[in-house]
Amino acid sequence: MSEMQTSPICPGCESSASTPFYSVPAVPVHQVKLVQSRQAALACPKGDIGLRFCTRCGFVWNAAFDAALMSYDEHYESSQTVSPTFNRFHERLACDLIARFDLHGRTIVEVGCGQGEFVTMLAAQGGNRGFGFDKVHRGAGGSPAVTFVKDFYGPAYQHLEPDFVCCKMTLEHIHDTGAFLRSMRLAMGDRPDAVIFFMIPEITRILELRAFWDVYYEHCSYYSPGALARHFRIAGFDPIDVWCDYDDQYVLIAARPGSGHSRTLANEQPAEALAPKVRAFAGGVAADQTRWKRWLEERHRRRQKVVLWGGGTKAVAFLTTLGVGDEIAYTVDLNPKRSGTFIAGTGHAIKAPAALAADPPDAIVVMSPIYLAEIKAQLDDLGVYPAELLIIETQPDLVAA
Ligand SMILES: [Zn+2]
């Protein structure tokens, strides 16, 4: 891998003490846009990944990211709400937040609300008034208690005076995270009882698992609990708690608008804690990729059919970073909107799981272990029993054997 020339300045703490540690050239800039043909999938716009690590605050970001390449529009399909496992998590999270922060009869703002499932849940379950902000909201409102605004939330909406601001799976898409958090702080004003809550993917787990399929262009910013709390402090928030959930795939933080000088939390680990994992990442990934390629080539040579379960972001990153072609026959995905579309970059077809019955595979590679029980139940229903069922995240050693 040749080193890309990228700026060392950390977007969060503005230190220039950063080191480049992982790069992938020419990956699709969008992972979850619905692509309607194989040709369009192969010709999709591409950009480079060049991750840097800030040795001062512990932040990891794609310094080769070019925001001008991004366009989020109505073809953007990021909804995870077709999986029962994710829905259960989402409902539990809403319940927890309502109980913990006494969200009853309050004003709630969700930033980057997508189609508004979560803010609607918070409003309904707690008897709250909700505002959902998202440029890609399709305009269909459900509950009279929730107002959708097709705009970015910021200081122009200070008059809403929210008691609770939540922002899930958004900060990782933002390159200038420092400016974004400062804008949130300004929008909330000096209302010390208000709470801000964020949830995003967690980087320590990605580094430890050498999960190269969790590094993709749309995600330009990556946080550990420590780095996230530090960036909130820099923006003038006082973190109340920072923790992990959803099989430790996500890091969550709750904070209040304050001075940024409250006492350090127990799991706010220093940047040095992440440094050895950062240094080991690129080498570990290269070794894993060699094993994956060998495993796929062997089955291809024996004319065995391998199918990937998952047509979302992880699948796109796995297939494009590995450079997989015919070794994988097709992918399946639970989201009916993805069925009949194609994987950006490689052009693999995305089918509904029912397609497995007509075209049964010899091996299925599952992207995420959290869905395994769900997937096994579906395969049972379909009467599909592949000789091999691999979970990509937990079985790299099996591939080595
Ligand atoms: Zn930094």
Side-chain angles (χ1 to χ4, degrees):
M1 261 182 260
S2 64
E3 277 315 330
M4 297 168 187
Q5 291 303 309
T6 51
S7 163
I9 308 291
C10 170
C13 79
E14 293 173 6
S15 158
S16 57
S18 75
T19 49
F21 71 95
Y22 177 69
S23 58
V24 192
V27 295
V29 300
H30 286 290
Q31 284 72 38
V32 293
K33 260 193 184 180
L34 302 176
V35 188
Q36 306 299 341
S37 75
R38 194 176 129 80
Q39 289 86 334
L42 293 171
C44 72
K46 297 181 180 74
D48 297 331
I49 289 173
L51 295 188
R52 295 188 81 101
F53 171 65
C54 175
T55 55
R56 191 166 91 177
C57 73
F59 183 48
V60 169
W61 76 100
N62 178 9
F65 182 77
D66 178 1
L69 294 174
M70 308 307 288
S71 68
Y72 294 107
D73 58 23
E74 68 275 15
H75 298 296
Y76 187 75
E77 180 50 45
S78 67
S79 178
Q80 287 174 294
T81 52
V82 286
S83 154
T85 306
F86 186 80
N87 285 344
R88 275 195 299 277
F89 164 70
H90 225 192
E91 278 160 27
R92 173 169 63 80
L93 180 64
C95 276
D96 287 354
L97 292 172
I98 287 169
R100 185 163 181 190
F101 299 110
D102 189 25
L103 303 179
H104 299 279
R106 305 297 185 98
T107 300
I108 289 173
V109 161
E110 185 177 10
V111 181
C113 68
Q115 299 315 312
E117 299 93 351
F118 196 65
V119 66
T120 304
M121 218 181 323
L122 288 176
Q125 289 181 19
N128 297 298
R129 185 168 73 125
F131 293 90
F133 285 79
D134 206 315
K135 286 260 196 187
V136 302
H137 184 74
R138 283 190 281 266
S143 146
V146 181
T147 307
F148 290 106
V149 187
K150 276 187 90 151
D151 194 6
F152 296 117
Y153 176 70
Y157 293 96
Q158 222 173 24
H159 60 277
L160 294 179
E161 301 199 328
D163 303 297
F164 188 77
V165 172
C166 71
C167 179
K168 299 175 2 282
M169 314 317 272
T170 298
L171 191 63
E172 69 272 28
H173 296 267
I174 291 165
H175 194 239
D176 195 345
T177 55
F180 183 77
L181 291 174
R182 282 194 299 278
S183 154
M184 293 292 114
R185 179 69 184 79
L186 272 176
M188 285 181 80
D190 289 322
R191 303 175 61 253
D193 292 331
V195 172
I196 185 166
F197 166 81
F198 271 47
M199 176 174 99
I200 48 173
E202 205 282 319
I203 182 71
T204 315
R205 186 197 132 274
I206 294 175
L207 296 173
E208 284 174 351
L209 289 174
R210 304 185 294 271
F212 61 90
W213 50 90
D214 278 334
V215 175
Y216 35 86
Y217 200 79
E218 274 175 9
H219 287 186
C220 48
S221 297
Y222 298 83
Y223 281 100
S224 64
L228 187 59
R230 279 186 284 281
H231 282 197
F232 267 69
R233 287 180 195 286
I234 291 168
F237 290 105
D238 291 328
I240 306 165
D241 194 6
V242 60
W243 69 103
C244 294
D245 203 337
Y246 205 59
D247 265 11
D248 289 342
Q249 289 193 62
Y250 302 152
V251 54
L252 305 85
I253 189 169
R256 294 189 197 278
S259 63
H261 299 298
S262 62
R263 70 178 172 81
T264 307
L265 302 169
N267 41 359
E268 214 174 307
Q269 290 196 327
E272 300 91 86
L274 211 57
K277 301 181 205 299
V278 165
R279 281 194 296 272
F281 184 70
V285 165
D288 289 352
Q289 289 185 343
T290 303
R291 289 199 284 270
W292 271 114
K293 279 180 189 157
R294 200 181 303 144
W295 185 88
L296 286 166
E297 277 159 15
E298 256 171 48
R299 273 137 199 86
H300 192 55
R301 218 173 15 248
R302 291 188 229 140
R303 298 181 188 283
Q304 291 176 342
K305 190 172 291 166
V306 180
V307 166
L308 196 67
W309 189 295
T313 50
K314 286 170 190 273
V316 174
F318 179 74
L319 294 170
T320 55
T321 307
L322 207 52
V324 176
D326 297 342
E327 302 91 331
I328 284 184
Y330 59 93
T331 76
V332 293
D333 197 278
L334 277 179
N335 187 339
K337 288 186 196 133
R338 289 205 186 113
S339 165
T341 65
F342 296 82
I343 297 276
T346 65
H348 288 91
I350 307 173
K351 303 182 181 186
L356 292 167
D359 195 8
D362 300 291
I364 295 181
V365 177
V366 175
M367 294 304 305
S368 188
I370 202 161
Y371 301 122
L372 191 62
E374 213 173 285
I375 289 169
K376 281 184 170 164
Q378 286 232 339
L379 291 175
D380 247 352
D381 286 348
L382 294 167
V384 172
Y385 301 99
E388 290 178 286
L389 185 65
L390 247 77
I391 310 156
I392 187 171
E393 286 192 3
T394 55
Q395 293 184 308
D397 299 340
L398 191 145
V399 178

